[in-house]
Amino acid sequence: MSTRFRPTTLTGHELELREQVRRFVAEEFPAGEYLPGLGINAEASPEFSRKLARQGWLGMVVPAEYGGPGRTAVERFVVVEELLVAGAPISAHWVGDRQTAPALLKFGSEEQKRRFLPAIIGGEAWFCLGMSEPGSGSDLASVRTSAVRTDGGWVLNGQKIWTSGAHYADFVVTLCRTAPLDGVKHAGLSQLIVDLRSPGIEVRPIMMLNGFHHFNEVFFTDVFVPDEMVLGAVGDGWHQVTSELAYERSGPDRFLTSFPLLRIFLALRARRAVGAEAEHRIGRLVARYWVLRQMSLSVARSLDAGEVPAVEAALVKDMGTTFEQQVVDVVRELADAEQRPGGDLFDRLLAEATITTPTFTLRGGTNEVLRQVAAKSLLRGAGRAA
Amino acid sequence: MSEEIELLEQTLDALFARHCGPAERTAAAQGLLPERLWARLVETGLTDLGAPDSGAGLPELVAVAMAVGRAAAPVPLAEASGLASWLLGATGLDPADGLLGCATTHPDDDLRLVGGEPAAPVVRGVLTRVPWGAAAGHVVALARSDRGPVVVLLPAATQVERGANLADEPRDTLRYADVTAVAAAPAPVDAAAVLRRGALLRAAATAGAAGRVLELALAYAGAREQFGRPIATFQAVQHHLVVMAEEVAAVDLAVRVAALAGPDTEALAVAAAKVAAGTAAAEVTRRGHQVFGAIGATIEHPLHHYSKRLWSWQDEFGTDRQWSGVIGRAAVGAGADALWPTVSAPLDPAPEAALR
């Protein structure tokens, strides 16, 4: 076998944490009243994110020396999956919690850790990722936003696009070129933590096809970024962004996005779930949820063991996001009726799910490119085995 | 994975590598048991690994079935160790000599007690598509009786209708017209439990065979050149390879998880593993053949040993559609609020092996 997913399950202590989260979620989102959000497309609610902070559920992996609870990747998995299943509004803290906190722990300076980690844990600072550019989508290493040396820091110029949450975030972690391109495009890139209130920054909204404001364009014109805001080593940006991918790719957010739709279908359209054909189709979905969750949990356990399950994480993301779309298709077919965006809870959620499905297999890199990356690793592994 | 299981896998892989040649395949295609290979398996104690005194559990039996799949081994080892010796052992009855066959709780099975002594009842009826049924010296089966299901150890059938699956693995229908059983005991498990175990073993064999097809396809795609470059450099081919790897990983993990599941999660875990096996069989055969092109569809090429088994196994011990129906019926019956607790149920009790 060229990949390795080991069976695992939640321990007694992890199950206790889950019970706490379930009680919290049940109080926050009484069944039947709340229109669930769909994964990380859910609304941003700084107020809700701060409630989670008070529970100790933001920046969970941050150790005690930086004010965190020092929890594991699996414990974070436990909290995140319960929030996704409820359709909780998790967008405000999402990037800081999933991406920036682990990146700071791994690459950040002592000063950066002391400054930003407590803010992430406390729900006091929101982060976003300045990655894609108009000319750099899947081919991320081709970014042209550049920073040039100046006294005490860098002068940043360029443009980012598809920047989730830049309209409310405090900082944008920006991948940019800090050395001219000399043939090797993966060299000369760096990550800067840019204060979105700096002079020279303009944020423009991009409205999505559901009318939501989630993404933005961010323009940098001679923005000064002090030296102490360089994340990690100058020139090491490519290595840094790619090393975070196992965290980013395999989490429950990659297969649970449309779960609330199936749950509400069963609750409000029970008569459409009757009969052998419907049971067979629902059974296939439940079976897939079971297996994908075991795979995703297995990756989290590997991360806690200090492994880097990069290919495994890529496979989970490709399978999981494709499956999230299938769930919407199956539920729509079983519902077997015209869509009514202004109807009941189920109608509204199905409408929302239908028009957001295209993004499931795009965000964080298209599945096509992901497969190309995964294939290269599989082929390298096979070459070694031969 | 424990070191014992790793050792077991290595032993089996080595044994099959040495003893699974053209001669064995020819014998098996004629419904004959490959004698030398089987004798080696009996000698090493692998054929009755499921007996209670062997100390082996489901994880070991699943490892055996996976190895059978990896080698496309033409022997009923998974059935003998995982079903026959387990079922007989659970009743405390003595094992029989020679190949011990096991009925599969096929939907067309109909076997009942019609008289005789409790320890040696007379049975009548039919056992459908029994793996290597004609070659078996004895057959273990569940029979219906007024006092509930009974495990019977039957002599070789005299009325045999030979059959096979797509891979030429014998699937023989056996008729018993008032035959006295060699031994019998009240069944410690019901037909559903036997079916579940058979389904898990087939899913395990599927994981093994599908994993082997993936290995072959990766090696071939890396070596075969067209338009001056390996076909593995074409994105369309890469996508086939990745989806194959995904489905192999899914069924492999699903099977290992199901082998560790306790009473509360066993039903879903096994059914999900069989559904995953069906998906893997479909994707891996279709995409695997596409990667190999025309050469993979010839009798000389080894691919068909795997693809024919995958096509057969996906429907044995319940089709994946039947198993998804079982899951769906339970999920719909339990209702919306039970959906997530079902999907996220922990393995119970948390197995030591799963937490390392």
Side-chain angles (χ1 to χ4, degrees):
Chain A
M1 266 287 281
S2 34
T3 58
R4 177 48 88 191
F5 291 88
R6 282 188 302 271
T8 186
T9 191
L10 299 182
T11 62
H13 143 81
E14 286 157 356
L15 290 170
E16 279 168 33
L17 170 63
R18 181 161 85 175
E19 279 318 303
Q20 285 175 35
V21 183
R22 283 189 177 171
R23 277 196 300 275
F24 171 83
V25 162
E27 271 175 39
E28 289 288 319
F29 310 108
E33 296 167 29
Y34 173 72
L35 179 67
L38 294 171
I40 55 180
N41 294 319
E43 268 181 274
S45 166
E47 188 198 350
F48 176 74
S49 292
R50 276 190 284 269
K51 274 190 191 171
L52 291 178
R54 285 195 289 276
Q55 300 288 331
W57 295 337
L58 294 193
M60 289 174 71
V61 297
V62 176
E65 56 177 316
Y66 301 109
R71 303 266 209 166
T72 62
V74 170
E75 287 172 313
R76 179 178 177 274
F77 178 102
V78 165
V79 172
V80 167
E81 66 173 354
E82 295 299 325
L83 295 174
L84 289 164
V85 162
I90 52 175
S91 288
H93 66 267
W94 188 255
V95 168
D97 178 66
R98 184 187 71 184
Q99 208 97 1
T100 315
L104 283 165
L105 283 170
K106 200 160 177 197
F107 304 112
S109 68
E110 195 55 30
E111 187 193 339
Q112 288 167 350
K113 291 182 199 173
R114 303 242 168 252
R115 175 174 174 194
F116 294 118
L117 290 173
I120 290 173
I121 295 159
E124 288 148 20
W126 314 128
F127 288 79
C128 59
L129 293 175
M131 299 274 219
S132 299
E133 296 182 6
S136 306
S138 294
D139 181 11
L140 188 61
S142 68
V143 293
R144 287 160 62 185
T145 294
S146 65
V148 178
R149 211 85 211 59
T150 187
D151 268 359
W154 299 82
V155 176
L156 183 65
N157 278 285
Q159 181 194 349
K160 293 292 174 183
I161 195 168
W162 313 122
T163 315
S164 303
H167 52 303
Y168 57 78
D170 303 291
F171 299 95
V172 53
V173 182
T174 306
L175 181 69
C176 62
R177 186 152 282 292
T178 44
L181 191 61
D182 69 348
V184 189
K185 68 178 178 181
H186 294 154
L189 296 170
S190 304
Q191 283 183 293
L192 306 183
I193 305 170
V194 183
D195 188 334
L196 277 158
R197 280 169 298 254
S198 310
I201 290 185
E202 188 191 347
V203 176
R204 291 185 202 155
I206 302 172
M207 303 312 279
M208 294 308 281
L209 41 66
N210 58 354
F212 266 32
H213 179 195
H214 183 82
F215 292 112
N216 302 276
E217 291 177 290
V218 182
F219 296 86
F220 305 97
T221 311
D222 293 334
V223 176
F224 175 72
V225 183
D227 275 329
E228 61 266 25
M229 296 288 261
V230 174
L231 177 61
V234 171
D236 210 20
W238 185 254
H239 162 68
Q240 290 174 202
V241 296
T242 50
S243 71
E244 302 162 18
L245 292 175
Y247 285 92
E248 179 191 330
R249 282 179 174 162
S250 62
D253 47 310
R254 300 305 185 185
F255 66 95
L256 284 175
T257 303
S258 49
F259 185 90
L261 179 67
L262 181 61
R263 177 166 54 81
I264 290 192
F265 170 75
L266 286 180
L268 299 184
R269 294 291 185 277
R271 71 201 153 81
R272 293 285 182 201
V274 174
E277 177 64 21
E279 286 164 359
H280 153 65
R281 302 192 70 183
I282 292 166
R284 285 191 77 85
L285 298 185
V286 174
R288 196 71 161 178
Y289 273 124
W290 169 265
V291 176
L292 282 168
R293 181 176 175 277
Q294 301 291 340
M295 296 176 88
S296 179
L297 181 59
S298 173
V299 172
R301 195 70 84 191
S302 293
L303 290 170
D304 282 335
E307 298 164 18
V308 185
V311 184
E312 287 80 0
L315 298 187
V316 172
K317 186 185 172 196
D318 183 41
M319 293 175 87
T321 52
T322 306
F323 172 67
E324 291 176 332
Q325 294 175 332
Q326 282 167 3
V327 171
V328 179
D329 284 338
V330 170
V331 168
R332 182 184 54 76
E333 286 179 21
L334 290 174
D336 196 26
E338 280 181 37
Q339 293 225 20
R340 300 186 312 146
D344 69 1
L345 216 52
F346 172 75
D347 285 321
R348 282 150 63 201
L349 195 58
L350 177 59
E352 186 58 35
T354 303
I355 59 180
T356 48
T357 43
T359 63
F360 298 175
T361 47
L362 296 175
R363 62 193 180 202
T366 66
N367 285 28
E368 284 72 13
V369 172
L370 192 66
R371 285 183 180 184
Q372 215 179 323
V373 173
K376 280 182 188 151
S377 300
L378 290 169
L379 287 157
R380 267 200 307 276
R384 270 199 305 277
Chain B
M1 186 175 25
S2 73
E3 279 171 32
E4 291 81 14
I5 291 187
E6 237 167 281
L7 190 65
L8 177 65
E9 288 180 344
Q10 286 165 9
T11 306
L12 281 159
D13 288 347
L15 222 148
F16 287 140
R18 177 147 6 129
H19 293 287
C20 232
E24 284 76 16
R25 297 203 182 281
T26 308
Q30 293 160 358
L32 303 170
L33 194 64
E35 294 294 346
R36 214 159 35 120
L37 171 58
W38 192 254
R40 287 293 294 134
L41 294 168
V42 172
E43 248 172 68
T44 47
L46 287 162
T47 51
D48 45 41
L49 197 63
D53 56 1
S54 80
L58 260 185
E60 285 78 13
L61 297 170
V62 152
V64 168
M66 283 181 167
V68 168
R70 259 197 314 280
V75 282
L77 178 61
E79 293 88 336
S81 62
L83 284 179
S85 68
W86 162 72
L87 194 53
L88 201 61
T91 62
L93 298 176
D94 285 332
D97 290 335
L99 172 60
L100 186 57
C102 191
T104 65
T105 70
H106 192 281
D108 296 337
D109 280 3
D110 180 18
L111 192 72
R112 57 196 186 283
L113 301 195
V114 291
E117 299 299 313
V122 175
V123 303
R124 184 186 301 165
V126 61
L127 298 173
T128 310
R129 296 184 64 77
V130 177
W132 274 267
H138 292 82
V139 174
V140 191
L142 287 181
R144 285 185 289 126
S145 83
D146 298 340
R147 296 184 308 279
V150 173
V151 176
V152 288
L153 179 61
L154 299 170
T158 49
Q159 290 182 51
V160 176
E161 183 193 321
R162 283 183 180 256
N165 66 13
L166 298 170
D168 290 326
E169 293 183 308
R171 298 290 184 259
D172 305 319
T173 296
L174 314 177
R175 284 173 208 286
Y176 291 91
D178 298 353
V179 170
T180 305
V182 177
V189 294
D190 60 5
V194 177
L195 181 67
R196 232 179 0 249
R197 188 174 264 250
L200 178 58
L201 294 169
R202 279 292 182 275
T206 298
R212 185 71 188 129
V213 174
L214 172 64
E215 284 171 11
L216 294 171
L218 284 168
Y220 181 75
R224 166 78 172 165
E225 293 196 2
Q226 287 289 275
F227 303 101
R229 55 192 175 118
I231 61 170
T233 59
F234 291 88
Q235 276 195 34
V237 175
Q238 292 176 346
H239 288 198
H240 285 313
L241 296 172
V242 170
V243 174
M244 288 167 73
E246 290 171 352
E247 296 307 334
V248 167
V251 65
D252 186 271
L253 182 66
V255 164
R256 292 178 196 274
V257 163
L260 296 170
D264 289 351
T265 44
E266 187 198 6
L268 172 60
V270 170
K274 190 64 165 72
V275 173
T279 308
E283 293 286 359
V284 167
T285 51
R286 186 167 64 80
R287 293 174 187 269
H289 273 282
Q290 195 67 19
V291 168
F292 276 98
I295 191 68
T298 63
I299 198 84
E300 299 102 273
H301 196 277
L303 181 58
H304 73 92
H305 295 307
Y306 298 97
S307 45
K308 285 174 180 170
R309 279 175 171 76
L310 292 169
W311 284 319
S312 301
W313 292 345
Q314 64 187 350
D315 297 328
E316 294 182 355
F317 290 97
T319 64
D320 57 330
R321 192 184 164 90
Q322 284 158 7
W323 284 109
S324 58
V326 167
I327 299 172
R329 224 162 9 261
V332 171
D337 291 343
L339 184 62
W340 177 241
T342 299
V343 167
S344 63
L347 303 179
D348 45 294
E352 190 91 346
L355 296 173
R356 275 175 304 160

